[in-house]
Amino acid sequence: MRARAPLQPQDKKINPFFHALSKYRRHQYDDCLALCGSLLRQNSRDQAAFVLKCRAITAKHWLDDLEVEVEGLADALMEDNVAATAPRPGTSLQRPLSSAQQAGTGPSQAVRPVSATGRPVTGFTRPATSARPTSSQQRDLITTAMAMSARPGTAASGRPVTSAGRLVRLGTASMASLGTDGGGETIQVDGIDFHKYAKRPEIAKALCDYLIYFLRQPRKALDLAAEATREASFADWWWKERLGKCYFQLGLLREAEKQFRSSIGNDSRVVTNLELARVYLKLDQPNAALEVYQKASEKFPGDISVTVSMARLYEDLNDSQKSIGLYKRVVARDPVNAEALACLAAHHFYSDQPEVALRFCRRLLLMGVSSTELWNNLGLACFYAAQYDLAITCLDRALMLADDGVSAEVWYNIGQVGIGVGDLGLSYQSFKLALSIDPNHAESHTNLGVLELRKGNIEQAQLAFSHASRLAPHLYEPAYNSALVAFKLGDFQDAFNKANMALQAYPGHHESKELLKQLKLQFMAF
Amino acid sequence: MASGGKMPDVILPKEGLLYSEKSSLSEVLCKPKWLPIKSVTLAKIELMEKQLAATMQQHQQAEQASTHGGNGHR
Amino acid sequence: MISVGSGATAPDPLPPLEEAIAKERDDAASPAAAGGGGGERSGTQDYQQRKSGPWLHAWHDPVAGMVCFSQHMCVADLHGDGDHRLVLVDRKKRIRIYRGTSIQWEQRLLEPPVAVQCFYHDTATPPIPTLVVAAGHQLFIYRHLQPYMKFALPPLPIDEREKDTWNRLEGLPEGEGVEEAFNQLMKLREAGVQLSRRSMDLLAVDDVAQRAKTAEEHKGVPLVQLPAISCMETLRQNIDQPTGVSVVVVAAEAFSHKGIIFILNPHVDKILRKVELDGTPAFVHCLGLYDVEYRLTVATRDGTVHTIKNGALLGSAVELETPCCGLVRLDKFIFVGCMDSVIHVYHFKGKKSHSIHLPCPLTTLTGLSLPRLRVQRALLVTLNDGQVRLYGNNGKDLLHSFSLLNDDIVTGALFGQYGREEGALVLSCKSGAILVKILSRTSTLEPARSGSSLSDGEEATGGPVPAEQDVPLNIPKKTRLYVEQMDRERQSAVHMHRTFQRDLCRLRLKTARAYVSNLVDMGQSPTSVPSTSGAGEAHLSLTADVIGLTGPHFDVQLRIHNAGSHALSNVCVMCVSSPPGLYALTPAMAPLPLLLPQHTSVHTIRAQEQPPEGGGAPTGAGQVRCFVVRMAVEGRGHQAARPLTTVYVQMPISEGG
C-alpha cells in the first residue's frame, strides 16, 4: 500500500471508509481527510465519514490543554478572580513560600539567575509559564510583562495579550493551515442544530471536540455540551468534563470548578483532576490545587501527569526541594519525560553539579530533542564540568540551530566561556554580538560593562550598567555594579540609591550590604 | 623556641580555625544562562503561528500583485 | 503571696493578671520545663513561647491604643494596698491607670504631657504617693486620683534691651517700626544675648510683609519666656527606701540651646535649686540622696552628657558623635544609646568603658534593677526591628533576646513592680499594644552556662571566634559521575586539551568574523549599542519602549542618551513602519531639542495600527524603525547620509480596532 499517494479513483480494492480509518489510526491525517472529503462529496449525509473527518481534523490540530496555560498580560492585569488581596506566604502564587534564597530550598540568587517574574530561571518552558510576578519584587505587573513580552524574535513577540485573543489566533491559524492543505472544506458549524446532534452522543462528541480544539469556539461547544449532558441526564462524566473545559476557556472559573467536581463524582479520571487543579491555579489558590493533586495521586498511584503537575506547582511556589524530589520520582518511573529531565538538569547545573546536568542533557539528546536550547545547555554543562573538548562544539551546534532571539543568548554564553578561559577579547566581541542581535539583553550589557571597566572606560561602563538595570530591575548585578562604580567615583548619594535597588532585587546580597555599611560610615562623617 | 633540635608538639586550637575576612568589593558578573527547553506543545504552537504568518504574507502579496492601483506601496 | 501549684485556693478570686502569672508558675514548676531553655508550650499560642528565656509572658493587649514613650510610663502603689498600678499618659492628652489587666481610671489632661512620675511626698501611713504629670511649663499633681494642684515653673529673665524693643513696638501702629525692631533684635542676637521665643520667631521670618504680621500677632501679649519641660525624674531625699520621700528633678529648655534643671521640694511648691547648662536636656538620671550626696546625669540634644554633682555642674562632659537617644544609669556605669546603633558605656567619672554595637537602631533603653537577685543589674534594649534584648555584666554579655510578633516595635519600656510582681517589664508598642512580661523567679541575670535557666539556644556572643565557625560549608556531594569524568580527564588529557584549543581558535575566528560583519553593517545603519556608535563624532544611544497593551494605539517612547561631552544640535528623529503602511506614525519626523551631554531626553511617538487594505485578516505585528539623523543646515553643504543611530522596535500584536 503506497502510504503517501492519494487514493486513485480506480483503486477500489478496499472499502474507502476502512481505508480512511486505517490512515487515521496511523496518524496520517492529511490522507485521511482527503479520503473523507471524497466520501462526503459522494454522499453528503454519510455520518461515519463526517465523524471521522471531525476526529481527523481535531487530532491534527490538537494541543494539550493542560499545557497551554492561556494567560496573557491583560488577563493578569484585569484579574478579578483572585480572591485574596494580601495572601499569606505560600498560599498564593504571587507570594511564594520563600524568597528564592532561603537556605535549603535551592541555590541562592547569587548563583542561579532569576527571571523577570522573580522566580529562578526554570528548566522547561510551557506556553505561558505564569506571567504573574511575585509581589516581593515590588514592581507592577505592567513593567514585568512588557519586559517579558517585548523580546524581539522570540515566539512571544507575536503573542496576543489576552487569552481570548490567543484562542482566536489559534483558531485562525488552524483554519488557515487547513485551507492551504487543500484537505477539504471546513465543516460549517453555524447552521448546525445542536439539539438534534445532542441525541447522538457519538457524533456529538466528535463535533464538540472539533469545536473546542480546532475552531476554538468554546461558546458553541458550550451550547452543544449543555444540550448533550441534559440528554445524558447528567450521568456522563465526559460531557461534564468538556463543559468544565469550555467554562474555563471562557473565564467562568467557578462554573468550571462545579462541572469538574461533578464529573469527578461520576467517574474520576486523571485528566479531570488535572483540569480541576488548573482552575484552582487560575484562581490563585495553590493549596486547593495541591489537595486535588494529592487526592488524584492517591486514586491513581504513580501517575506521571499528576506528579509532574505537582512538581510544577511546587516550582512555582519556589519550593525547589519538593519540586526536585517529585521530578526525580517522575524520572524514575518514566525516563523519557522531557520536562522532568530538563528541570532536573537546570537544578543540578545551578547546584554546582554540572556533570549530573550533563548526563540529563545527554539523555534528552538521545530522546531526539535537538534544539538550540539543549545544545546550549550541553555546551555550558560540558564547560563547567571541565569537559572542555566537547563544550565548544556543542555551543557551535547551538549557534547553527539558533533563530534570531535565542542566538543572542548563545552568544552571551560564549562570552561567559570566554571569561572563563580568560580571553577577554573573545568575551567582548561575543557580548557585542549578543547585543547587536538583541539590544535588550540585560545580562550582556552588565558583563560588557564589567569588561569596559577593566579596560578603563568608566563612562561607558556606567552607561551599560544603568541601561541594564533599567531593562531588568529584577537583576541585582547591574544595580550593584553601578553602585560600586559610583562609590569609587565619590558619588555617594547615587551609590546609596543603587545599592538599595540591588538589595531590593536580592535581599541577601552580602556585598551590597557591605557597601551600604561603608556608605553609612561616609554619611555619618558629615 | 628551640634552636635546632627536635620539633615541639604542634598544638592546634579547637576553635578559631575559621577566620571571616571581608575582602575589598569588586564587580559582579551575571551568571551563565541556562536556556529552558521548550515543550512539544510550545513548539507546535510556534510552528502554527509561523505558518499562519507565512500564509498571511503570501496572501497579502497575492492581493497586492492582483490590485495594481494600490496605494503606492513598494 | 501566691501559692504555687495547681489548686491554689485564695479567699477572694485573683485578679486576672495574677491568675495568668499563677498559671505560668504552674507550667514552670512542671518537670518538663525544668532546666529552662525554651520549653515548648502546648495549647494555642498567638504569641511566642510563653516562657522565652527569663521572661514569662503575662499579658498582652493588642488594642490598648496607647503609644507611650518610656517617660510616659510609671508604676506606683497609688492606693497603698500593695497592688502597684501602671500609669500611662500619651500624646493624645489621656492619662490611664491600669490595675492588673484592666483599666482602673482614665481622664483627660489639659495639655499634652511630657513625663509622668510617682513619688512619696511625706511619710504618712498608709503611704500614698503623689502622681505628677509634666506638661508645657507646668506640673500637675494628682493625689488619690484627684487633681490636687498645679505648679508652674517661673518665667525666665529676659534681657532688658529685648523688652525695650518690644515695648517700643507696642506703641506703634501696625507695620511701622518692624524693620528697626528686626535689626535691633538681630544685633542683640549677634551680641550673644539669649532671645525669647517670640524674637526668634520674628527673626526667622524672611518675608517683610510677613514680618509685620508676625509682630502684630504678638502685640498686646506680655513678653514672657516660659521654660519648656523636657524630662522629669525623682531623687530620694534622705532615706534610700522605696517609700522614701523624694524631691522632683525637672529638666527644661530655657532659651534655645540652653537648659535649666530645677529641683523642687516634695510638696512641689518651692524650687530648692536651679542649675543652668548648655544644651537642651533630653534625658536625666538621678543617683544618690539629695540631702547627702547626689549626682544627676543629663544628656542633651546636641550629644553631650553632663554630670551635676550636688548641685554644681561638673566641668567634664562626655561628647558623643551622634545624638543620644537613651540614657540609663546602673551603679557606676552610664549607658548612652546613640542614633548610630551603638550603646556607649561610660564610667560615672567620665571614662569610657566599652561600646555595644547593635544590628539596627535602638528605640528604648531601660535599666533593670532587682535587689533580690545576686546580680542585680541588667540592661534592656529594644531595637527598631522588634527585638528586645537583655544585656548583663554591664552590657558585655547578651543574655537573651526575643522579638515581638507582627513587626511591632517597642516605643516605651519600663521595669518595676506591677501588681504584686516585683520584676515586671511593661512594653508599650508602636501599634498601641501593651505587653507585660515577668522576670521569672528562677532566672539569674547571668550569661548562659550549660543548663542555666537563661539559655534559650542563644550563645553568648563574644570572643575571637566568628559565629560562622559552626556552619558547615555548602559543598555539593561528589557524585560518581564526577569521579568518572575526572578519570576520563586524566586519561585523555592531551587529546582533550588539543581539541579544546583547536575549537577555541575556531570559535575566536568565528566570533571575530561575525563581529566584523556586524561592524560593517553597523557602519551603514548603526544600531543602538550603548557603548559606541558607528558615526564617530557623536556618542548617542537610543533605546525604545512600547507602551500599550492591546492597541491599536501604541506609544513608542524613545530615550536618547548623549554619552559624549558635547551638546548635539540639529538632530531629528525619523520613523518608518515596516511593513510600510502598517502603522500610522505621528509624528513621523520630529526635530529634537538640543541634546545635552550626559543627559537623556525622552520623545514619544504615537503609532496606530491601520486596518489592512481591503479588509483582510490582521497580519500580525510589524516593526517601527526609528533613526536619529542630523538635519541639513542652511548653506552648510550635504546632509549626513547615514543616520547617527537606529533602533528597530518590535511592536506587539494588536487585538483591538
Side-chain angles (χ1 to χ4, degrees):
Chain A
M1 192 62 60
R2 289 165 304 205
R4 287 277 170 205
L7 191 62
Q8 306 301 321
Q10 62 270 21
D11 194 346
K12 285 196 169 63
K13 280 188 246 166
I14 322 170
N15 181 339
F17 181 71
F18 179 77
H19 196 183
L21 203 55
S22 128
K23 294 277 185 195
Y24 174 79
R25 261 191 244 120
R26 278 180 281 163
H27 293 224
Q28 291 167 12
Y29 299 121
D30 298 325
D31 293 341
C32 175
L33 282 171
L35 287 164
C36 289
S38 64
L39 278 172
L40 280 172
R41 270 192 291 270
Q42 289 168 17
N43 171 15
S44 66
R45 293 202 171 274
D46 190 349
Q47 288 179 347
F50 177 75
V51 169
L52 189 57
K53 183 169 176 185
C54 273
R55 286 230 180 268
I57 299 182
T58 313
K60 194 167 160 206
H61 294 98
W62 183 78
L63 285 175
D64 191 352
D65 269 60
L66 293 168
E67 298 282 314
V68 179
E69 207 174 288
V70 275
E71 173 166 296
L73 163 61
D75 278 343
L77 269 185
M78 298 170 212
E79 183 66 66
D80 34 271
N81 277 324
V82 174
T85 47
R88 293 198 304 283
T91 59
S92 157
L93 286 168
Q94 278 180 305
R95 268 203 89 180
L97 254 178
S98 54
S99 47
Q101 38 104 4
Q102 208 182 47
T105 58
S108 79
Q109 198 171 338
V111 171
R112 184 166 183 167
V114 146
S115 75
T117 57
R119 296 195 186 82
V121 162
T122 173
F124 192 77
T125 41
R126 297 180 316 282
T129 29
S130 173
R132 289 203 199 126
T134 52
S135 62
S136 60
Q137 297 292 323
Q138 286 168 358
R139 280 166 292 113
D140 55 310
L141 228 41
I142 301 186
T143 3
T144 312
M146 290 303 280
M148 274 181 70
S149 61
R151 296 181 57 87
T154 57
S157 70
R159 192 169 286 174
V161 157
T162 55
S163 59
R166 185 78 183 268
L167 281 178
V168 165
R169 276 193 80 63
L170 282 175
T172 334
S174 316
M175 283 211 288
S177 66
L178 193 60
T180 54
D181 282 350
E185 316 81 29
T186 61
I187 298 173
Q188 295 306 320
V189 290
D190 298 311
I192 291 187
D193 176 16
F194 292 137
H195 198 70
K196 193 171 62 161
Y197 277 83
K199 297 204 201 291
R200 307 284 309 278
E202 312 80 21
I203 309 187
K205 285 187 182 178
L207 193 59
C208 183
D209 273 348
Y210 178 79
L211 286 168
I212 293 181
Y213 286 110
F214 177 63
L215 286 182
R216 310 268 167 205
Q217 291 180 2
R219 240 180 269 264
K220 289 222 170 69
L222 195 60
D223 293 331
L224 175 59
E227 290 278 353
T229 193
R230 224 173 294 138
E231 290 292 325
S233 50
F234 302 100
D236 193 353
W237 72 271
W238 195 93
W239 285 113
K240 293 189 188 162
E241 193 256 325
R242 287 300 191 267
L243 267 176
K245 210 198 274 279
C246 294
Y247 278 127
F248 183 80
Q249 284 183 357
L250 289 171
L252 301 164
L253 297 176
R254 287 293 173 192
E255 279 78 9
E257 181 195 354
K258 268 193 293 210
Q259 292 296 333
F260 285 132
R261 281 223 179 265
S262 103
S263 170
I264 292 176
N266 276 117
D267 183 2
S268 177
R269 302 274 166 140
V270 176
V271 144
T272 333
N273 279 301
L274 291 180
E275 295 202 312
L276 178 61
R278 193 164 68 130
V279 171
Y280 285 125
L281 286 178
K282 194 94 194 280
L283 286 169
D284 201 12
Q285 291 178 2
N287 283 333
L290 271 175
E291 268 180 49
V292 174
Y293 286 137
Q294 301 280 13
K295 275 204 221 116
S297 66
E298 279 159 33
K299 187 116 198 288
F300 307 100
D303 188 273
I304 305 263
S305 356
V306 176
T307 325
V308 164
S309 311
M310 257 205 288
R312 254 185 238 158
L313 182 54
Y314 278 124
E315 198 176 317
D316 272 340
L317 285 176
N318 255 349
D319 192 345
S320 67
Q321 242 180 4
K322 287 213 186 92
S323 168
I324 294 296
L326 285 168
Y327 277 132
K328 283 196 177 133
R329 229 192 284 169
V330 171
V331 169
R333 268 205 163 239
D334 178 11
V336 288
N337 185 296
E339 179 171 351
L341 289 172
C343 291
L344 280 171
H347 174 257
H348 281 285
F349 180 72
Y350 285 113
S351 311
D352 231 352
Q353 289 180 325
E355 63 279 356
V356 186
L358 182 56
R359 185 176 61 160
F360 283 125
C361 287
R362 271 189 63 225
R363 214 191 285 186
L364 275 168
L365 195 62
L366 288 172
M367 276 164 50
V369 180
S370 169
S371 63
T372 324
E373 291 88 4
L374 184 59
W375 284 110
N376 167 76
N377 296 347
L378 266 170
L380 279 180
C382 284
F383 186 73
Y384 285 99
Q387 309 297 308
Y388 300 115
D389 48 345
L390 305 166
I392 301 194
T393 10
C394 293
L395 284 170
D396 256 346
R397 270 287 188 89
L399 263 183
M400 262 181 5
L401 287 170
D403 58 359
D404 243 359
V406 199
S407 60
E409 309 269 10
V410 185
W411 280 116
Y412 169 74
N413 284 326
I414 291 181
Q416 292 277 1
V417 166
I419 291 183
V421 172
D423 186 351
L424 295 184
L426 174 64
S427 308
Y428 189 83
Q429 289 171 354
S430 308
F431 290 136
K432 278 286 182 75
L433 279 168
L435 282 177
S436 73
I437 298 175
D438 177 8
N440 290 340
H441 197 234
E443 291 92 351
S444 294
H445 277 297
T446 318
N447 286 7
L448 200 62
V450 177
L451 290 178
E452 298 275 10
L453 262 185
R454 295 209 80 179
K455 286 213 255 174
N457 305 334
I458 303 186
E459 235 347 285
Q460 291 171 350
Q462 268 290 36
L463 195 59
F465 290 141
S466 62
H467 211 62
S469 86
R470 210 173 50 83
L471 283 169
H474 59 274
L475 289 179
Y476 73 95
E477 287 99 345
Y480 169 70
N481 289 342
S482 213
L484 196 58
V485 172
F487 180 69
K488 288 188 181 149
L489 288 176
D491 187 354
F492 294 143
Q493 187 60 47
D494 198 24
F496 183 74
N497 293 337
K498 296 263 169 61
N500 276 328
M501 270 166 45
L503 275 180
Q504 242 184 12
Y506 175 33
H509 190 219
H510 286 292
E511 272 113 357
S512 294
K513 290 191 196 156
E514 186 60 40
L515 184 61
L516 274 179
K517 246 201 272 188
Q518 292 191 8
L519 279 170
K520 281 209 173 90
L521 283 176
Q522 294 287 348
F523 284 141
M524 286 206 299
F526 295 131
Chain B
M1 270 180 285
S3 53
K6 61 179 168 80
M7 282 275 285
D9 289 322
V10 178
I11 300 178
L12 284 175
K14 292 204 178 37
E15 292 181 359
L17 286 175
L18 178 68
Y19 295 98
S20 180
E21 231 181 70
K22 295 221 168 83
S23 57
S24 62
L25 303 166
S26 64
E27 279 80 30
V28 137
L29 283 169
C30 282
K31 313 298 175 291
K33 202 138 179 224
W34 185 268
L35 296 175
I37 314 273
K38 296 207 188 129
S39 72
V40 167
T41 327
L42 184 59
K44 216 169 166 186
I45 290 184
E46 284 180 7
L47 194 63
M48 275 171 39
E49 284 179 354
K50 255 194 222 154
Q51 283 174 344
L52 172 67
T55 43
M56 290 305 176
Q57 277 258 338
Q58 283 175 5
H59 216 56
Q60 260 216 333
Q61 280 171 6
E63 268 187 25
Q64 284 173 13
S66 58
T67 59
H68 288 288
N71 293 341
H73 293 159
R74 296 220 5 103
Chain C
M1 189 71 146
I2 301 168
S3 50
V4 180
S6 49
T9 48
D12 43 333
L14 294 170
L17 182 63
E18 269 82 357
E19 262 176 6
I21 302 165
K23 200 154 75 90
E24 289 299 335
R25 290 271 159 64
D26 292 352
D27 290 344
S30 67
E40 262 87 47
R41 298 274 140 243
S42 56
T44 52
Q45 309 277 350
D46 59 353
Y47 228 84
Q48 256 194 343
Q49 303 160 305
R50 287 187 94 77
K51 175 169 165 38
S52 56
W55 299 112
L56 298 174
H57 177 66
W59 173 52
H60 171 57
D61 182 0
V63 290
M66 299 217 40
V67 179
C68 315
F69 297 112
S70 301
Q71 308 101 287
H72 295 169
M73 307 160 73
C74 95
V75 280
D77 184 7
L78 289 175
H79 299 267
D81 55 0
D83 187 357
H84 284 237
R85 308 291 199 272
L86 172 68
V87 183
L88 296 176
V89 293
D90 74 347
R91 285 180 293 178
K92 294 184 193 161
K93 298 198 262 190
R94 295 179 291 182
I95 176 166
R96 222 186 247 186
I97 300 189
Y98 277 87
R99 179 180 187 226
T101 54
S102 55
I103 304 175
Q104 180 189 357
W105 182 76
E106 181 163 355
Q107 261 211 359
R108 303 230 100 210
L109 297 167
L110 294 170
E111 283 188 33
V114 171
V116 69
Q117 284 290 338
C118 267
F119 67 99
Y120 291 90
H121 58 279
D122 60 15
T123 51
T125 41
I128 303 282
T130 320
L131 183 69
V132 58
V133 179
H137 70 283
Q138 296 167 315
L139 297 172
F140 298 92
I141 293 112
Y142 292 79
R143 261 190 221 166
H144 303 277
L145 302 186
Q146 297 292 330
Y148 183 70
M149 70 181 234
K150 187 174 75 167
F151 179 80
L153 293 175
L156 301 159
I158 306 180
D159 195 83
E160 282 305 318
R161 291 168 284 178
E162 192 187 340
K163 267 200 226 161
D164 284 339
T165 320
W166 281 101
N167 286 339
R168 236 177 293 137
L169 256 189
E170 283 286 324
L172 295 173
E174 178 181 352
E176 287 188 23
V178 179
E179 281 310 305
E180 296 156 16
F182 186 83
N183 296 330
Q184 190 86 1
L185 291 171
M186 187 75 85
K187 263 192 281 188
L188 282 177
R189 185 170 73 178
E190 275 154 28
V193 174
Q194 290 292 327
L195 296 177
S196 71
R197 239 169 254 132
R198 185 193 290 192
S199 313
M200 300 296 273
D201 280 345
L202 186 64
L203 284 174
V205 176
D206 283 333
D207 182 31
V208 180
Q210 196 65 22
R211 258 182 233 157
K213 244 202 279 186
T214 320
E216 191 59 32
E217 279 162 26
H218 292 303
K219 272 195 200 157
V221 179
L223 178 64
V224 75
Q225 173 80 341
L226 296 168
I229 302 180
S230 54
C231 49
M232 181 166 68
E233 281 288 329
T234 55
L235 175 66
R236 300 262 151 66
Q237 196 168 25
N238 40 30
I239 322 167
D240 195 11
Q241 289 268 3
T243 55
V245 179
S246 315
V247 295
V248 185
V249 176
V250 178
E253 175 182 4
F255 296 97
S256 62
H257 300 302
K258 276 248 180 278
I260 193 164
I261 313 265
F262 294 95
I263 304 186
L264 308 170
N265 70 337
H267 290 273
V268 198
D269 49 11
K270 212 165 46 149
I271 299 180
L272 296 178
R273 196 165 281 219
K274 214 161 56 164
V275 181
E276 287 180 22
L277 51 99
D278 278 334
T280 322
F283 301 96
V284 173
H285 267 265
C286 317
L287 185 73
L289 298 172
Y290 181 65
D291 286 345
V292 182
E293 184 195 348
Y294 66 93
R295 274 178 203 261
L296 303 175
T297 318
V298 184
T300 61
R301 279 186 201 157
D302 54 2
T304 341
V305 180
H306 296 271
T307 318
I308 297 175
K309 182 173 171 182
N310 296 330
L313 181 65
L314 291 185
S316 61
V318 176
E319 291 276 350
L320 302 166
E321 288 157 22
T322 40
C324 159
C325 53
L327 180 70
V328 162
R329 186 176 191 142
L330 299 172
D331 270 347
K332 294 198 167 64
F333 287 96
I334 306 175
F335 298 83
V336 183
C338 292
M339 281 187 185
D340 55 355
S341 321
V342 195
I343 301 178
H344 298 290
V345 185
Y346 293 89
H347 194 259
F348 76 99
K349 294 227 168 86
K351 199 165 149 197
K352 179 163 172 188
S353 159
H354 61 282
S355 293
I356 310 169
H357 289 268
L358 303 166
C360 57
L362 64 131
T363 54
T364 67
L365 199 59
T366 327
L368 263 73
S369 115
L370 266 186
R372 67 174 164 86
L373 290 179
R374 191 167 64 86
V375 174
Q376 297 179 344
R377 312 250 185 261
L379 182 70
L380 192 89
V381 185
T382 62
L383 300 178
N384 207 16
D385 61 358
Q387 276 186 62
V388 179
R389 286 189 172 195
L390 189 64
Y391 285 91
N393 192 11
N394 287 328
K396 291 202 184 121
D397 297 324
L398 172 64
L399 297 176
H400 180 259
S401 145
F402 70 91
S403 290
L404 298 183
L405 290 189
N406 301 327
D407 296 328
D408 216 353
I409 304 175
V410 175
T411 50
L414 179 71
F415 187 84
Q417 181 170 359
Y418 180 46
R420 287 178 205 275
E421 212 17 75
E422 272 191 348
L425 174 69
V426 183
L427 299 172
S428 168
C429 306
K430 200 167 177 185
S431 61
I434 297 180
L435 192 59
V436 176
K437 289 211 184 250
I438 304 199
L439 192 66
S440 77
R441 290 233 177 115
T442 53
S443 77
T444 57
L445 296 175
E446 272 167 9
R449 313 258 184 258
S450 52
S452 145
S453 63
L454 208 60
S455 63
D456 193 0
E458 285 270 336
E459 301 264 333
T461 54
V465 178
E468 293 88 36
Q469 170 99 0
D470 297 323
V471 174
L473 288 176
N474 193 10
I475 303 178
K477 289 205 293 244
K478 214 187 255 193
T479 55
R480 195 166 42 104
L481 255 177
Y482 180 69
V483 175
E484 282 172 12
Q485 290 189 337
M486 288 225 304
D487 262 338
R488 175 176 176 255
E489 277 181 66
R490 235 178 273 145
Q491 280 159 14
S492 44
V494 175
H495 169 75
M496 278 174 73
H497 181 80
R498 280 208 196 112
T499 322
F500 179 55
Q501 290 299 324
R502 194 188 59 207
D503 284 340
L504 195 59
C505 286
R506 247 194 289 149
L507 184 66
R508 282 199 192 114
L509 180 62
K510 187 169 175 173
T511 315
R513 273 208 193 115
Y515 186 61
V516 163
S517 74
N518 201 9
L519 274 182
V520 166
D521 287 341
M522 266 167 66
Q524 285 162 0
S525 67
T527 49
S528 71
V529 177
S531 327
T532 63
S533 92
E537 317 121 6
H539 287 279
L540 279 184
S541 87
L542 176 62
T543 51
D545 283 325
V546 180
I547 302 179
L549 278 183
T550 57
H553 297 277
F554 295 103
D555 269 352
V556 178
Q557 210 181 47
L558 297 171
R559 305 176 99 89
I560 304 148
H561 181 90
N562 184 354
S565 47
H566 300 289
L568 211 54
S569 60
N570 279 332
V571 286
C572 69
V573 64
M574 294 172 54
C575 307
V576 177
S577 100
S578 139
L582 183 56
Y583 294 102
L585 300 164
T586 43
M589 178 178 134
L592 290 176
L594 183 70
L595 295 176
L596 297 169
Q598 305 309 314
H599 190 73
T600 310
S601 43
V602 180
H603 189 72
T604 315
I605 295 177
R606 172 61 67 95
Q608 170 150 7
E609 176 163 347
Q610 305 293 88
E613 312 280 311
T619 53
Q623 274 187 346
V624 170
R625 301 185 179 173
C626 304
F627 310 89
V628 173
V629 186
R630 218 179 229 147
M631 291 198 293
V633 179
E634 299 284 340
R636 269 286 186 91
H638 69 283
Q639 183 180 356
R642 291 189 323 214
L644 290 172
T645 168
T646 321
V647 76
Y648 293 3
V649 187
Q650 180 70 26
M651 304 293 286
I653 290 189
S654 102
E655 293 179 31

